[in-house]
Structure formats: C-alpha cells, structure tokens
Amino acid sequence: MSALRLDGTAQNIPASRRFVRATLRTWDLGAYLDDAEIVTTELVANAHQHAFGASHPYAGQHAWLALIRKANALLCAVADPSPRAPVVGPDDPLAEQGRGLHIITRLSESWGWSHPTSSGKTVWARVPTIAGTGGHTTGVSRAGGDRAPATPGSARRHRPGAGPNTRALLGV
C-alpha cells in the first residue's frame, strides 16, 4: 500500500498523477498507468469538487489517496471528509461535468464507496491487472467474461457499506 495526503487544493490533481506514476513504476505495473491515472484523477477531482469546493465546509481539512496492490488488481481509494455519497448523473459524453463516475465505470472492474459517516467516506475503484505479466487487460477476455462491461452503468457497483471498508484499511 502507498498513500498520499491531499490538502484540498487544486494542486492535488497533478500531485496525484505524479504519485500514481511513481508508485506503479516502483511496483512494476507501468502497463496500467493510463487506466490507473485516469481513474485516480477522477476520484481526486470528485473529492476536490464535492468536499473542498469554495461552498463546502471542509476547506482546510485533508483527504487521502491510497493505492493498494492486490494479486490481480490495483485498488485506488480516496477518503475525503464529505459524508455525501457519490451520485451518478446522466451519461452524456458531451457534458462538461458529471462524466467522472462513468469514466471510472468503464475503466475499472468495480467501484463503490464506504458507508458515509460524519467524518466522511472513501470512494474506491478496482483496476484489474494480470499478476506477474505487466500486460494490460483492456479488451482481453478472461475467465468469467470481458474485463469491463461495454455498456454504461453495467459495471458491478457496491452499495454503501458493502465491499471492502477502505477507510479501515487507510486508518482514517
């Protein structure tokens, strides 16, 4: 596991990209940089917009980005102080906002969030990897079907309180 403290400023987004690139190269997972970087950028941007925007009471607080290496996946998680659960909006590819969770759906095997509490929540996405190969799984068939569903919104999503509790893993 590798973690980065986020201070709630716009600089978090480029800092998170650098962090993902450095971490995945260290873990010899460079083949997954593109998907992991995009997924992480969307998670961090959502935390920035919804937890640290000018009209939100969490300015001055911090969030955490964690990358957790699993046998066949990379778990990207962002814990932020907002208790509001993510909301998936309409899938409009021409929209200027509101596409992040749709992008995460397409690039990840699954995604979800911890049960929101007064201290916040963790939103996570699981990016599939092939252990020991360094190969990319996009478009590759594997046991159980394709890497990711081709239709919007059909990826497995975990409801609040289901799946791994990444806040506990992160200790926040």
Side-chain angles (χ1 to χ4, degrees):
M1 182 180 112
S2 189
L4 175 68
R5 184 174 187 235
L6 305 172
D7 62 8
T9 67
Q11 295 306 311
N12 289 330
I13 295 169
S16 68
R17 289 183 187 134
R18 289 188 299 272
F19 173 74
V20 169
R21 283 193 296 267
T23 302
L24 267 60
R25 286 183 179 128
T26 299
W27 290 346
D28 197 27
L29 293 174
Y32 306 100
L33 276 173
D34 291 339
D35 287 356
E37 186 176 18
I38 292 168
V39 166
T40 301
T41 297
E42 293 301 333
L43 291 172
V44 172
N46 283 348
H48 178 74
Q49 180 179 355
H50 299 289
F52 299 114
S55 64
H56 298 285
Y58 309 106
Q61 295 186 34
H62 65 274
W64 287 94
L65 163 61
L67 299 176
I68 303 167
R69 186 176 183 175
K70 300 287 191 178
N72 293 311
L74 174 70
L75 185 65
C76 307
V78 174
D80 70 59
S82 172
R84 293 182 50 214
V87 176
V88 180
D91 190 8
D92 181 356
L94 300 178
E96 291 186 24
Q97 291 185 336
R99 298 179 309 174
L101 295 176
H102 294 285
I103 292 169
I104 291 169
T105 296
R106 286 181 179 91
L107 294 178
S108 67
E109 183 176 70
S110 60
W111 69 273
W113 61 94
S114 64
H115 184 76
T117 67
S118 61
S119 63
K121 55 139 175 351
T122 299
V123 182
W124 57 267
R126 183 179 167 95
V127 176
T129 63
I130 298 174
T133 66
H136 200 280
T137 60
T138 302
V140 174
S141 182
R142 61 178 167 79
D146 291 334
R147 178 194 91 40
T151 57
S154 61
R156 288 171 287 155
R157 287 190 194 93
H158 293 270
R159 300 291 179 227
N165 185 345
T166 50
R167 288 189 74 78
L169 289 172
L170 297 174
V172 293

